[in-house]
Amino acid sequence: MGPMHFSTTILSLTTGSTETVTDLTRHCEDFLSRTAQGADGLLNLFVPHATAGLAILETGSGSDDDLLSALHHLLPADDRWQHRHGSPGHGRDHVLPALVPPHATVPVLGGRLELGTWQSICLVDTNKDNPVRQVRLSFLG
């Protein structure tokens, strides 16, 4: 076994003023093509925000919209939340990371993500008050 390799970078993304599910898979693949160089290891993603999370799910078939709809059902944007600054119902955004965690780890084999056929790595951002997000990508191989 050779020496361990660690690389990290920060993605800055504009999610805008609407609730979004943003596919990060291409960004992850680009990062690995520069850093993993055919190695095996793990890709870790981390969102340093109190109101966003990461999910691995199918995109483009409605699942991303279904996720936002389910989050509205579980976490309504109303006045029930004790955390009350920001937009009405913003307290729900602070509960989101308990359901959609701010981290994900994916295996990397031969420098490539080992995702299932329909899986994508996505940033889930329900906070309309914070239009710019960061995601740290770290490869350990």
Side-chain angles (χ1 to χ4, degrees):
M1 183 171 166
M4 295 300 278
H5 170 76
F6 179 80
S7 295
T8 190
T9 192
I10 293 182
L11 296 176
S12 288
L13 305 161
T14 301
T15 55
S17 59
T18 60
E19 297 182 7
T20 60
V21 176
T22 304
D23 191 337
L24 305 177
T25 308
R26 176 63 56 203
H27 292 288
C28 294
E29 291 169 343
D30 292 346
F31 171 69
L32 290 172
S33 71
R34 294 189 309 273
T35 60
Q37 301 169 342
D40 296 346
L42 295 172
L43 175 67
N44 179 263
L45 296 91
F46 180 75
V47 178
H49 300 287
T51 57
L54 293 160
I56 297 177
L57 73 156
E58 181 178 3
T59 59
S61 64
S63 297
D64 30 2
D65 290 333
D66 288 343
L67 174 59
L68 292 175
S69 178
L71 290 171
H72 267 282
H73 179 72
L74 292 169
L75 306 171
D78 58 21
D79 64 355
R80 74 183 67 200
W81 308 102
Q82 293 182 44
H83 188 110
R84 293 187 183 268
H85 76 83
S87 297
H90 174 66
R92 73 182 288 264
D93 300 326
H94 286 273
V95 176
L96 173 80
L99 301 176
V100 182
H103 57 86
T105 301
V106 180
V108 175
L109 295 178
R112 297 180 57 94
L113 287 170
E114 281 296 302
L115 291 170
T117 302
W118 304 111
Q119 289 180 317
S120 295
I121 304 167
C122 298
L123 173 67
V124 180
D125 185 2
T126 60
N127 184 354
K128 301 174 188 178
D129 297 337
N130 189 349
V132 178
R133 297 302 190 154
Q134 294 183 335
V135 180
R136 177 173 293 280
L137 306 180
S138 301
F139 174 70
L140 178 63

